[in-house]
Amino acid sequence: MSPPVWERPLGKLVGSGGFAAVWEIAGGGVLKVAHADHELARARLHREADALVSIAAGAAKRGMPCVPIVEGHGVFPDGRAWIAMERVAGTNLADLIAAGTLRVSHATGLAIGIADALAQIHAAGWVHRDIKPDNLVRRTDGRIAILDLGLARKFPDDPDDPTRAGVQVGSLEYIPPEQLLDAASVDPRADLYALGCVLYEMCAGRPPFIGDANALERAHAALRPPPLGALAQVPAGVEALCHELLAKQPPRRPPDAATVAARLRDTGYEPSLQRQHSMSTIREGKQPVVLLWAELPRVDRSLLVSLTGRRL
């Protein structure tokens, strides 16, 4: 993939997803360019720029904002939309999780940072709708930056939301039940559910639900996740809050991100005793062994995390 013509030299391709590609700008920053030249792509990148600018403006008096700073945005002559923005320096949370289950104190600290960042986004009147480890970066100073606001929605009303009726948006491992039903009407509590999924994964090494697309949709809509304490040693307060965040009905979740951050700060880091499950089937003598063999075209991070999270 060749870089577009830009006013400053462009370096390497930083990343490419289903919607856009991101190029390094010489001297600092990145350039995000939509793959397609149709109206929906332009609307999504314009919306992302609008969200980034308004969130940064609202957070200016509180120090560094929780989103990349926008340098400019527009449309190339060929019709593709672009945004030039800050390149956030730090470590992606997906990489941190893939490296191994985090200490509970580390996971709790990261969750506090995510909740603080979400409080900024929600205070500016936006819902992110795609909170997941890949979109979260721990800056070098420890604060959390949230990336990729292409799916962001204004609340309470957003008549210009480009989300089409009946079209699912978001990542299935972290998607709240109400977003499966109607992505165009969710409020900030949808992001809190996704935060609960991320907190669960940071502690347990796997998301609350695993499986194919159909299995994940059914699970988010109707199933309870395994108790966090059954997979990891966490304080009772952390486990309780995590499962409140994962409530199927939004009113049963904490009221806002600031409340989540405050409760996490009040939670001790000493792990409670891990639940002891019945081991009556394990006795002396021969035991069945199951071997799993899979050939994959590439390494699948989510599959590896799921397997290691089960402590096989």
Side-chain angles (χ1 to χ4, degrees):
M1 184 183 296
S2 58
V5 177
W6 182 245
E7 60 190 31
R8 285 185 279 162
L10 296 180
K12 64 181 180 180
L13 180 68
V14 176
S16 181
F19 175 68
V22 179
W23 303 88
E24 191 177 64
I25 300 176
V30 293
L31 181 70
K32 184 172 185 177
V33 182
H35 293 313
D37 62 355
H38 54 68
E39 189 56 40
L40 179 59
R42 286 189 288 273
R44 280 188 57 177
L45 239 66
H46 176 77
R47 167 159 295 250
E48 179 167 9
D50 186 19
L52 291 172
V53 170
S54 63
I55 293 165
K61 40 186 162 179
R62 293 192 292 271
M64 184 181 294
C66 64
V67 294
I69 302 297
V70 172
E71 297 178 7
H73 63 98
V75 179
F76 285 122
D78 64 6
R80 291 180 300 159
W82 59 268
I83 306 176
M85 67 183 94
E86 168 198 8
R87 182 174 187 179
V88 176
T91 306
N92 188 275
L93 258 66
D95 295 332
L96 285 175
I97 294 171
T101 306
L102 303 172
R103 297 190 311 274
V104 63
S105 58
H106 193 184
T108 303
L110 290 169
I112 290 171
I114 299 168
D116 285 340
L118 282 175
Q120 287 189 26
I121 291 175
H122 298 161
W126 294 88
V127 186
H128 188 281
R129 295 198 299 187
D130 197 19
I131 294 297
K132 59 183 178 180
D134 295 278
N135 287 340
L136 302 168
V137 174
R138 183 189 61 190
R139 292 183 184 267
T140 53
D141 66 359
R143 284 184 286 187
I144 296 293
I146 299 181
L147 311 180
D148 198 355
L149 278 84
L151 297 179
R153 173 187 183 271
K154 295 178 182 176
F155 72 91
D157 299 309
D158 192 352
D160 298 323
D161 183 358
T163 304
R164 292 171 290 179
V167 174
Q168 185 183 95
V169 300
S171 302
L172 279 176
E173 288 84 356
Y174 312 93
I175 196 166
E178 67 271 24
Q179 196 163 314
L180 286 168
L181 295 174
D182 184 10
S185 64
V186 299
D187 65 22
R189 292 171 296 185
D191 288 343
L192 299 187
Y193 182 93
L195 169 57
C197 292
V198 174
L199 174 58
Y200 190 107
E201 183 175 5
M202 287 192 296
C203 292
R206 48 152 282 188
F209 303 111
I210 56 177
D212 60 19
N214 289 333
L216 287 171
E217 289 183 13
R218 289 194 301 270
H220 284 296
L223 300 181
R224 292 181 180 177
L228 179 57
L231 300 177
Q233 291 185 317
V234 295
V238 171
E239 180 176 17
L241 177 58
C242 186
H243 286 285
E244 284 181 43
L245 291 167
L246 294 174
K248 304 299 183 188
Q249 298 180 11
R252 294 182 176 273
R253 298 171 201 156
D256 51 50
T259 300
V260 174
R263 286 182 59 181
L264 286 168
R265 287 188 171 96
D266 289 340
T267 301
Y269 291 156
E270 289 299 321
S272 59
L273 291 177
Q274 188 174 10
R275 286 191 179 90
Q276 299 298 315
H277 296 275
S278 173
M279 301 295 287
S280 60
T281 59
I282 299 180
R283 308 178 190 277
E284 293 183 2
K286 294 182 179 180
Q287 299 296 327
V289 175
V290 177
L291 298 178
L292 176 64
W293 176 273
E295 292 188 3
L296 303 174
R298 61 182 177 82
V299 175
D300 189 309
R301 182 187 68 83
S302 61
L303 176 60
L304 293 176
V305 169
S306 297
L307 292 175
T308 56
R310 287 182 176 270
R311 299 179 179 177
L312 299 175

